[in-house]
Amino acid sequence: MESYVERLPQPGLARVVRTVWILRTGETPYVQRNLPTGGVEIHLPVGGSPQLVGPLTGPEIEIVPPRTTIVGVRFRPGTPPSLPTTLDDLVDQRVDLADLWAAEVDGLVDRTAGSRTPERALEVLEAHLLGRLRRAAGPDPLVGAAVDALMPWRRVGITSLAADLALSSSQLRRRCLHSVGVGPKVLQRTLRFQGFLALAQAGTVATGRRGRDGTAGLAIDTGYADQAHLSRECLQLTGLTPRLLLGGSIDRYACGHEHSASYRPFLAARRRAAPRG
């Protein structure tokens, strides 16, 4: 049986990593639909070659072989691991990690392959990333501030955001391209959709306009003009309609995976942005 489990990262990685996960496949190949999250991911098949999945602007369909275990790390937008290139060179690409990190990947592969359990292999990967994080320069703080401001509950305009950060619009775009891979407008659309998925994952009751419940209400709560607006962007970002993606229900995904750890930052940001009575 295929299984997927995710959890929050080790505390030392929390400021750059959104979640870590383990995927196990059964006796048949598994079709994985990877969606845009605003960040990059590292996928390390235990006993195989790790890959970096660059920033996605649409769905990436991956066929995972039978009897495969993959440990993975999903980074926050604007906080990628140190790389020899900017992220706009890696958009919608899957790259062998050895091409980016050279010989150090061999030791990482050997240590994870020698782990007794997938959980231990994931801990080895996290420890390796923590060591790299301590040696690397920190992420661009202005991009971090932009990511926070572009969360779906903020309703901020790109021009006003640039002014708030004392940047021109072109400077903000260039810095986002380098550290996120996409411009601020594309990132805002991605984060808005991730916010919708966070509400759906949590089984949140909509608080939209009167008479707008279910998916339509959640769309309005997240910042979409209406359900049609959500449907267009869902199709572009995932290749599926909201109904197909959610499996016909706003409290689960068609993939059957539980993603509460991944969407916790979005729900926390929503609570912080809520007006106080």
Short mmCIF file of all heavy atoms in Angstrom, two decimals, residues 109-154:
data_model
loop_
_atom_site.label_atom_id
_atom_site.label_comp_id
_atom_site.label_asym_id
_atom_site.label_seq_id
_atom_site.Cartn_x
_atom_site.Cartn_y
_atom_site.Cartn_z
N VAL A 109 24.02 10.33 0.07
CA VAL A 109 23.33 9.14 -0.44
C VAL A 109 23.73 7.91 0.35
O VAL A 109 22.89 7.08 0.72
CB VAL A 109 23.63 8.96 -1.95
CG1 VAL A 109 23.13 7.59 -2.43
CG2 VAL A 109 22.98 10.07 -2.76
N ASP A 110 25.03 7.77 0.64
CA ASP A 110 25.50 6.60 1.39
C ASP A 110 24.91 6.57 2.80
O ASP A 110 24.50 5.51 3.28
CB ASP A 110 27.03 6.62 1.48
CG ASP A 110 27.70 6.33 0.14
OD1 ASP A 110 27.01 5.80 -0.76
OD2 ASP A 110 28.89 6.64 0.00
N ARG A 111 24.84 7.72 3.44
CA ARG A 111 24.32 7.76 4.81
C ARG A 111 22.83 7.45 4.86
O ARG A 111 22.36 6.75 5.77
CB ARG A 111 24.62 9.11 5.46
CG ARG A 111 26.11 9.35 5.72
CD ARG A 111 26.34 10.54 6.64
NE ARG A 111 25.80 11.78 6.11
CZ ARG A 111 26.43 12.57 5.25
NH1 ARG A 111 27.63 12.22 4.79
NH2 ARG A 111 25.88 13.69 4.83
N THR A 112 22.08 7.97 3.91
CA THR A 112 20.65 7.68 3.92
C THR A 112 20.38 6.24 3.51
O THR A 112 19.49 5.59 4.07
CB THR A 112 19.89 8.63 2.98
OG1 THR A 112 20.48 8.60 1.67
CG2 THR A 112 19.91 10.05 3.52
N ALA A 113 21.16 5.70 2.57
CA ALA A 113 20.98 4.31 2.16
C ALA A 113 21.27 3.35 3.30
O ALA A 113 20.67 2.27 3.40
CB ALA A 113 21.86 3.99 0.96
N GLY A 114 22.19 3.73 4.18
CA GLY A 114 22.53 2.88 5.31
C GLY A 114 21.62 3.05 6.51
O GLY A 114 21.81 2.36 7.53
N SER A 115 20.62 3.89 6.41
CA SER A 115 19.69 4.09 7.53
C SER A 115 18.76 2.90 7.67
O SER A 115 18.32 2.31 6.68
CB SER A 115 18.87 5.37 7.30
OG SER A 115 19.70 6.49 7.18
N ARG A 116 18.44 2.57 8.89
CA ARG A 116 17.60 1.39 9.13
C ARG A 116 16.14 1.63 8.79
O ARG A 116 15.41 0.69 8.46
CB ARG A 116 17.71 0.96 10.61
CG ARG A 116 19.09 0.46 10.99
CD ARG A 116 19.10 -0.03 12.44
NE ARG A 116 20.39 -0.57 12.82
CZ ARG A 116 20.66 -1.08 14.02
NH1 ARG A 116 19.70 -1.10 14.96
NH2 ARG A 116 21.86 -1.56 14.30
N THR A 117 15.70 2.86 8.89
CA THR A 117 14.30 3.18 8.65
C THR A 117 14.20 4.44 7.80
O THR A 117 15.14 5.26 7.77
CB THR A 117 13.53 3.43 9.96
OG1 THR A 117 14.06 4.61 10.59
CG2 THR A 117 13.65 2.23 10.90
N PRO A 118 13.08 4.64 7.09
CA PRO A 118 12.89 5.90 6.36
C PRO A 118 12.92 7.11 7.28
O PRO A 118 13.42 8.18 6.88
CB PRO A 118 11.50 5.72 5.72
CG PRO A 118 11.30 4.26 5.63
CD PRO A 118 11.98 3.69 6.83
N GLU A 119 12.41 6.96 8.50
CA GLU A 119 12.43 8.06 9.44
C GLU A 119 13.86 8.51 9.75
O GLU A 119 14.15 9.70 9.84
CB GLU A 119 11.70 7.68 10.72
CG GLU A 119 10.19 7.52 10.58
CD GLU A 119 9.79 6.21 9.89
OE1 GLU A 119 10.65 5.31 9.75
OE2 GLU A 119 8.62 6.09 9.49
N ARG A 120 14.74 7.50 9.92
CA ARG A 120 16.14 7.83 10.18
C ARG A 120 16.78 8.45 8.94
O ARG A 120 17.58 9.40 9.06
CB ARG A 120 16.90 6.56 10.59
CG ARG A 120 18.39 6.76 10.79
CD ARG A 120 18.69 7.86 11.79
NE ARG A 120 20.12 8.15 11.87
CZ ARG A 120 20.61 9.30 12.31
NH1 ARG A 120 19.80 10.27 12.73
NH2 ARG A 120 21.92 9.50 12.34
N ALA A 121 16.43 7.99 7.74
CA ALA A 121 16.97 8.58 6.51
C ALA A 121 16.57 10.05 6.40
O ALA A 121 17.38 10.89 5.99
CB ALA A 121 16.47 7.80 5.29
N LEU A 122 15.34 10.35 6.77
CA LEU A 122 14.89 11.74 6.74
C LEU A 122 15.66 12.58 7.76
O LEU A 122 16.05 13.72 7.47
CB LEU A 122 13.39 11.81 7.03
CG LEU A 122 12.76 13.20 7.01
CD1 LEU A 122 13.03 13.92 5.69
CD2 LEU A 122 11.26 13.10 7.27
N GLU A 123 15.93 12.03 8.92
CA GLU A 123 16.73 12.75 9.92
C GLU A 123 18.14 13.04 9.40
O GLU A 123 18.70 14.11 9.66
CB GLU A 123 16.79 11.94 11.21
CG GLU A 123 15.47 11.86 11.96
CD GLU A 123 15.54 10.92 13.15
OE1 GLU A 123 16.61 10.31 13.36
OE2 GLU A 123 14.52 10.80 13.87
N VAL A 124 18.72 12.09 8.67
CA VAL A 124 20.05 12.29 8.09
C VAL A 124 20.01 13.45 7.08
O VAL A 124 20.90 14.31 7.06
CB VAL A 124 20.54 11.00 7.41
CG1 VAL A 124 21.79 11.26 6.57
CG2 VAL A 124 20.84 9.93 8.47
N LEU A 125 18.98 13.47 6.24
CA LEU A 125 18.85 14.55 5.27
C LEU A 125 18.68 15.90 5.98
O LEU A 125 19.31 16.89 5.60
CB LEU A 125 17.66 14.28 4.35
CG LEU A 125 17.31 15.38 3.34
CD1 LEU A 125 18.50 15.71 2.46
CD2 LEU A 125 16.11 14.95 2.49
N GLU A 126 17.86 15.93 7.02
CA GLU A 126 17.67 17.18 7.76
C GLU A 126 18.98 17.65 8.41
O GLU A 126 19.29 18.84 8.40
CB GLU A 126 16.60 16.99 8.83
CG GLU A 126 15.18 16.89 8.30
CD GLU A 126 14.17 16.80 9.42
OE1 GLU A 126 13.98 15.67 9.93
OE2 GLU A 126 13.58 17.82 9.79
N ALA A 127 19.73 16.72 8.97
CA ALA A 127 21.00 17.09 9.60
C ALA A 127 21.97 17.66 8.57
O ALA A 127 22.70 18.62 8.85
CB ALA A 127 21.61 15.87 10.30
N HIS A 128 21.97 17.08 7.39
CA HIS A 128 22.85 17.58 6.32
C HIS A 128 22.45 19.01 5.94
O HIS A 128 23.30 19.89 5.79
CB HIS A 128 22.76 16.66 5.11
CG HIS A 128 23.73 17.01 4.02
ND1 HIS A 128 25.02 16.55 3.98
CD2 HIS A 128 23.59 17.82 2.93
CE1 HIS A 128 25.64 17.05 2.92
NE2 HIS A 128 24.79 17.82 2.26
N LEU A 129 21.16 19.24 5.80
CA LEU A 129 20.68 20.57 5.44
C LEU A 129 20.96 21.58 6.54
O LEU A 129 21.28 22.75 6.27
CB LEU A 129 19.18 20.52 5.13
CG LEU A 129 18.78 19.74 3.89
CD1 LEU A 129 17.26 19.66 3.78
CD2 LEU A 129 19.37 20.38 2.63
N LEU A 130 20.86 21.15 7.79
CA LEU A 130 21.13 22.04 8.90
C LEU A 130 22.60 22.48 8.90
O LEU A 130 22.91 23.65 9.13
CB LEU A 130 20.78 21.35 10.22
CG LEU A 130 20.87 22.20 11.49
CD1 LEU A 130 19.97 23.42 11.38
CD2 LEU A 130 20.48 21.36 12.71
N GLY A 131 23.49 21.55 8.60
CA GLY A 131 24.90 21.90 8.50
C GLY A 131 25.16 22.90 7.38
O GLY A 131 25.93 23.86 7.55
N ARG A 132 24.51 22.72 6.25
CA ARG A 132 24.67 23.66 5.14
C ARG A 132 24.09 25.02 5.50
O ARG A 132 24.64 26.07 5.13
CB ARG A 132 23.97 23.13 3.89
CG ARG A 132 24.69 21.99 3.21
CD ARG A 132 24.04 21.64 1.87
NE ARG A 132 25.01 21.81 0.79
CZ ARG A 132 25.06 22.85 -0.01
NH1 ARG A 132 24.18 23.83 0.12
NH2 ARG A 132 25.97 22.93 -0.96
N LEU A 133 22.95 25.01 6.19
CA LEU A 133 22.31 26.27 6.57
C LEU A 133 23.22 27.09 7.48
O LEU A 133 23.30 28.32 7.34
CB LEU A 133 20.98 25.98 7.27
CG LEU A 133 20.19 27.18 7.79
CD1 LEU A 133 19.76 28.08 6.64
CD2 LEU A 133 18.97 26.70 8.58
N ARG A 134 23.92 26.44 8.39
CA ARG A 134 24.80 27.15 9.32
C ARG A 134 26.00 27.78 8.60
O ARG A 134 26.57 28.77 9.07
CB ARG A 134 25.28 26.19 10.40
CG ARG A 134 24.18 25.80 11.40
CD ARG A 134 24.59 24.64 12.26
NE ARG A 134 23.58 24.35 13.28
CZ ARG A 134 23.52 23.21 13.96
NH1 ARG A 134 24.43 22.25 13.76
NH2 ARG A 134 22.57 23.03 14.87
N ARG A 135 26.38 27.21 7.47
CA ARG A 135 27.54 27.73 6.73
C ARG A 135 27.16 28.76 5.67
O ARG A 135 28.03 29.47 5.16
CB ARG A 135 28.29 26.57 6.05
CG ARG A 135 28.85 25.54 7.00
CD ARG A 135 29.78 24.58 6.28
NE ARG A 135 29.13 23.87 5.19
CZ ARG A 135 28.49 22.70 5.33
NH1 ARG A 135 28.41 22.12 6.53
NH2 ARG A 135 27.95 22.10 4.29
N ALA A 136 25.89 28.82 5.31
CA ALA A 136 25.47 29.64 4.18
C ALA A 136 25.04 31.04 4.62
O ALA A 136 24.72 31.27 5.80
CB ALA A 136 24.30 28.96 3.46
N ALA A 137 25.05 31.94 3.67
CA ALA A 137 24.49 33.27 3.92
C ALA A 137 22.98 33.15 4.08
O ALA A 137 22.34 32.25 3.49
CB ALA A 137 24.83 34.20 2.76
N GLY A 138 22.39 34.02 4.86
CA GLY A 138 20.95 33.95 5.10
C GLY A 138 20.17 34.37 3.87
O GLY A 138 20.70 34.97 2.92
N PRO A 139 18.87 34.05 3.86
CA PRO A 139 18.02 34.46 2.74
C PRO A 139 17.84 35.96 2.67
O PRO A 139 18.08 36.68 3.65
CB PRO A 139 16.68 33.75 3.03
CG PRO A 139 16.69 33.51 4.51
CD PRO A 139 18.12 33.31 4.88
N ASP A 140 17.42 36.45 1.53
CA ASP A 140 17.20 37.88 1.32
C ASP A 140 16.06 38.35 2.23
O ASP A 140 14.92 37.92 2.07
CB ASP A 140 16.83 38.11 -0.15
CG ASP A 140 16.71 39.59 -0.51
OD1 ASP A 140 16.42 40.41 0.38
OD2 ASP A 140 16.88 39.91 -1.71
N PRO A 141 16.34 39.23 3.20
CA PRO A 141 15.29 39.63 4.14
C PRO A 141 14.15 40.39 3.48
O PRO A 141 13.00 40.30 3.92
CB PRO A 141 16.03 40.49 5.17
CG PRO A 141 17.26 40.96 4.45
CD PRO A 141 17.63 39.87 3.51
N LEU A 142 14.44 41.16 2.43
CA LEU A 142 13.37 41.90 1.76
C LEU A 142 12.44 40.95 1.01
O LEU A 142 11.23 41.18 0.95
CB LEU A 142 13.96 42.94 0.81
CG LEU A 142 14.59 44.16 1.47
CD1 LEU A 142 15.14 45.13 0.43
CD2 LEU A 142 13.58 44.88 2.35
N VAL A 143 12.98 39.88 0.45
CA VAL A 143 12.13 38.88 -0.19
C VAL A 143 11.29 38.18 0.87
O VAL A 143 10.10 37.90 0.65
CB VAL A 143 12.98 37.87 -0.99
CG1 VAL A 143 12.11 36.70 -1.48
CG2 VAL A 143 13.64 38.56 -2.17
N GLY A 144 11.89 37.91 2.03
CA GLY A 144 11.11 37.32 3.12
C GLY A 144 9.95 38.20 3.53
O GLY A 144 8.83 37.73 3.76
N ALA A 145 10.19 39.51 3.61
CA ALA A 145 9.11 40.44 3.95
C ALA A 145 8.06 40.46 2.86
O ALA A 145 6.85 40.56 3.14
CB ALA A 145 9.70 41.83 4.17
N ALA A 146 8.49 40.36 1.60
CA ALA A 146 7.54 40.33 0.48
C ALA A 146 6.67 39.09 0.54
O ALA A 146 5.46 39.15 0.31
CB ALA A 146 8.29 40.41 -0.85
N VAL A 147 7.28 37.94 0.83
CA VAL A 147 6.52 36.70 0.93
C VAL A 147 5.46 36.80 2.03
O VAL A 147 4.30 36.43 1.83
CB VAL A 147 7.45 35.50 1.19
CG1 VAL A 147 6.65 34.24 1.51
CG2 VAL A 147 8.36 35.26 -0.01
N ASP A 148 5.84 37.33 3.17
CA ASP A 148 4.87 37.50 4.26
C ASP A 148 3.72 38.40 3.84
O ASP A 148 2.54 38.13 4.14
CB ASP A 148 5.55 38.10 5.50
CG ASP A 148 6.48 37.11 6.19
OD1 ASP A 148 6.34 35.89 5.94
OD2 ASP A 148 7.34 37.56 6.97
N ALA A 149 4.03 39.48 3.12
CA ALA A 149 3.00 40.43 2.71
C ALA A 149 2.09 39.86 1.63
O ALA A 149 0.94 40.29 1.48
CB ALA A 149 3.64 41.72 2.22
N LEU A 150 2.60 38.89 0.85
CA LEU A 150 1.83 38.32 -0.26
C LEU A 150 0.99 37.12 0.14
O LEU A 150 0.33 36.52 -0.71
CB LEU A 150 2.78 37.93 -1.40
CG LEU A 150 3.46 39.10 -2.11
CD1 LEU A 150 4.53 38.59 -3.07
CD2 LEU A 150 2.44 39.95 -2.85
N MET A 151 0.99 36.76 1.42
CA MET A 151 0.11 35.69 1.86
C MET A 151 -1.33 36.07 1.55
O MET A 151 -1.69 37.25 1.49
CB MET A 151 0.30 35.45 3.36
CG MET A 151 1.64 34.86 3.72
SD MET A 151 1.89 33.18 3.07
CE MET A 151 1.03 32.21 4.31
N PRO A 152 -2.19 35.07 1.31
CA PRO A 152 -3.51 35.36 0.73
C PRO A 152 -4.43 36.23 1.57
O PRO A 152 -5.40 36.77 1.07
CB PRO A 152 -4.12 33.96 0.54
CG PRO A 152 -3.33 33.05 1.42
CD PRO A 152 -1.96 33.63 1.48
N TRP A 153 -4.15 36.38 2.85
CA TRP A 153 -5.06 37.13 3.70
C TRP A 153 -4.72 38.61 3.75
O TRP A 153 -5.38 39.38 4.45
CB TRP A 153 -5.03 36.54 5.12
CG TRP A 153 -4.63 35.11 5.13
CD1 TRP A 153 -3.48 34.56 5.63
CD2 TRP A 153 -5.37 34.00 4.59
NE1 TRP A 153 -3.46 33.22 5.43
CE2 TRP A 153 -4.61 32.83 4.80
CE3 TRP A 153 -6.61 33.89 3.95
CZ2 TRP A 153 -5.03 31.57 4.40
CZ3 TRP A 153 -7.03 32.63 3.53
CH2 TRP A 153 -6.24 31.48 3.76
N ARG A 154 -3.70 39.05 3.00
CA ARG A 154 -3.19 40.41 3.16
C ARG A 154 -3.84 41.42 2.19
O ARG A 154 -3.94 42.59 2.51
CB ARG A 154 -1.68 40.43 2.94
CG ARG A 154 -0.91 39.52 3.90
CD ARG A 154 -0.64 40.23 5.19
NE ARG A 154 0.22 39.43 6.06
CZ ARG A 154 0.65 39.85 7.23
NH1 ARG A 154 0.31 41.05 7.66
NH2 ARG A 154 1.40 39.08 7.98
#
